Amino acid sequence: MESASEVPLRELNQQTSRVMARVEAGETVTITKDGVPIGDIVPRGGSLGRPSYPFRTDPMGLLDLPDLGGPALTDDEIEETLRGMGAAGV
């Protein structure tokens, strides 16, 4: 049976093996910093029932990009320039 508990970040740093033993035993551990949850350690194959990272589900809409006064490049010119940048470090 999976249970959940909170562990301060300092305790995780000082007693990592003990905290990980609890996770290995099936416990989900929420790590806190100054009393605020900052992350979860979940047993392998476990699930919190919520995404582990926030993400947007709404469309952002049109982007309003500023005109920086540079030359207007075609997609092919942009691709060629970027490809050339990657080869510079070789």
Side-chain angles (χ1 to χ4, degrees):
M1 182 171 168
E2 187 177 301
S3 60
S5 64
E6 293 186 352
V7 173
L9 183 58
R10 170 177 252 149
E11 182 180 331
L12 176 63
N13 287 333
Q14 295 174 347
Q15 299 180 15
T16 305
S17 294
R18 287 184 183 179
V19 173
M20 294 310 294
R22 291 165 53 185
V23 173
E24 186 177 27
E27 187 175 342
T28 295
V29 177
T30 298
I31 306 303
T32 63
K33 182 176 182 182
D34 299 325
V36 178
I38 59 170
D40 298 299
I41 303 177
V42 181
R44 181 108 179 158
S47 174
L48 292 175
R50 57 181 162 79
S52 59
Y53 57 90
F55 61 94
R56 294 179 62 110
T57 58
D58 60 320
M60 292 176 56
L62 295 175
L63 297 177
D64 184 20
L65 299 175
D67 182 5
L68 301 176
L73 301 175
T74 66
D75 288 344
D76 291 335
E77 290 171 320
I78 293 171
E79 187 174 330
E80 182 180 326
T81 300
L82 293 175
R83 194 174 308 119
M85 292 173 135
V90 176

